Amino acid sequence: MPVLDPNPQNGQKKLLLVFGTMLLISVVIGVIATIASP
């Protein structure tokens, strides 16, 4: 089992999806913190 995905498109798409999810979560946390702050 190779560590790197032999299919670069699939690996890049998965990496982009993970990065987008992390970015979305951080944005949601920032919005919640802004609303919750007095």
Side-chain angles (χ1 to χ4, degrees), residues 1-6:
M1 289 191 296
V3 177
L4 294 176
D5 194 340

Side-chain angles (χ1 to χ4, degrees), residues 1-5 7-8 10-12 14 19 22 24-25 27 31 33 35 37:
M1 289 191 296
V3 177
L4 294 176
D5 194 340
N7 188 357
N10 191 22
Q12 196 173 20
K14 187 177 182 181
F19 183 74
M22 287 170 54
L24 184 65
I25 290 173
V27 168
V31 171
I35 294 174
S37 63

Side-chain angles (χ1 to χ4, degrees), residues 10-20:
N10 191 22
Q12 196 173 20
K13 188 176 181 181
K14 187 177 182 181
L15 185 67
L16 188 66
L17 183 66
V18 171
F19 183 74

